[in-house]
Amino acid sequence: MALVGEASTKDKARTTAQIEADIARTRTQLASTLDELAVRVHPTTIAAQVKAKALASVEQKAGRAYVAASGAVERAKAQFVDEKGRPRKERIVPVALVGAGVVLLVASARRRRKG
């Protein structure tokens, strides 16, 4: 086992040119690693990563909301049509009357405010 500062017998067999080439290769690798680290910690890179994560989160939540809304629409539709897709008049007419009543109440309330 070679001590720090001592070269092993294998290292003694290497030429100066080989050692210099190893040093140059190590320097190049170190420079590349430092460049990569500089890019990773750069504020622009960090901001882009945070933005991408936030966008992915929003898109995921929007997708879930769409699925939930689609399911709610299908459930509501099922209340007003039968299995064959025909309208159920016994359910549509009362809802339409309630809707018309609400519209008339809102219109009446607006007239009272203006008057």
Side-chain angles (χ1 to χ4, degrees):
M1 174 178 204
L3 298 174
V4 176
E6 288 186 20
S8 68
T9 55
K10 179 182 172 188
D11 288 340
K12 287 182 182 178
R14 294 181 3 177
T15 66
T16 304
Q18 290 171 328
I19 294 170
E20 288 174 352
D22 285 346
I23 292 170
R25 184 173 40 256
T26 302
R27 281 185 182 151
T28 302
Q29 290 171 346
L30 181 58
S32 175
T33 301
L34 289 174
D35 289 343
E36 184 179 333
L37 287 172
V39 169
R40 285 184 186 180
V41 299
H42 193 276
T44 304
T45 304
I46 293 170
Q49 290 172 344
V50 169
K51 181 180 175 183
K53 285 181 183 178
L55 183 59
S57 176
V58 167
E59 287 176 352
Q60 181 183 25
K61 289 178 183 176
R64 287 181 183 167
Y66 176 80
V67 169
S70 178
V73 167
E74 285 300 316
R75 286 188 300 276
K77 180 181 173 186
Q79 297 296 317
F80 298 102
V81 294
D82 62 13
E83 299 80 28
K84 295 182 181 179
R86 294 180 298 204
R88 290 182 171 174
K89 292 180 185 174
E90 71 276 4
R91 291 196 177 176
I92 294 174
V93 172
V95 172
L97 291 174
V98 168
V102 169
V103 169
L104 290 173
L105 283 173
V106 170
S108 174
R110 284 190 178 182
R111 273 193 234 152
R112 287 182 190 169
R113 276 195 218 167
K114 290 181 181 180

